[in-house]
Amino acid sequence: MFKKDWRYPIAHKEAWIGVGLAVFHFIWWYGFGYGFGSRPVESYSYILGFPDWFFYSCILGFIVIVAIVIVVVKNFLQDLPLESEKGDER
């Protein structure tokens, strides 16, 4: 009774790409935030007035993830139609 739509495998693959991007961003943020941020405050170095751990985890991390998302959207994701081809099939 239920016919599998051809768009499901594509959407499934793209969902896993999104999960991978989120995991990468979390690892980046956690690694720099807690890696550099766990030092004593006296040993911090500053970039543009921010502690290095904050700059790398939050500012540079945001710029890097936005650039990666732009590349992924332009090169790996497909534009799929949202409506069914035969009208209101159920």
Side-chain angles (χ1 to χ4, degrees):
M1 184 177 271
F2 180 72
K3 183 179 174 192
K4 188 172 181 179
D5 196 322
W6 62 273
R7 298 171 288 191
Y8 289 168
I10 297 169
H12 187 75
K13 178 190 76 157
E14 291 178 356
W16 278 112
I17 290 172
V19 168
L21 287 170
V23 168
F24 171 77
H25 187 229
F26 178 77
I27 291 171
W28 177 288
W29 172 82
Y30 188 86
F32 280 111
Y34 286 99
F36 285 166
S38 61
R39 301 180 315 225
V41 176
E42 297 81 27
S43 67
Y44 286 174
S45 57
Y46 293 89
I47 302 170
L48 300 175
F50 297 105
D52 57 353
W53 65 268
F54 182 84
F55 179 81
Y56 289 125
S57 67
C58 296
I59 297 173
L60 186 63
F62 173 76
I63 294 169
V64 167
I65 198 67
V66 166
I68 291 172
V69 167
I70 289 171
V71 168
V72 166
V73 167
K74 287 186 179 242
N75 296 319
F76 296 105
L77 303 184
Q78 298 178 19
D79 189 19
L80 298 176
L82 297 177
E83 47 292 314
S84 63
E85 294 176 357
K86 296 181 183 177
D88 269 333
E89 270 187 31
R90 290 190 188 226

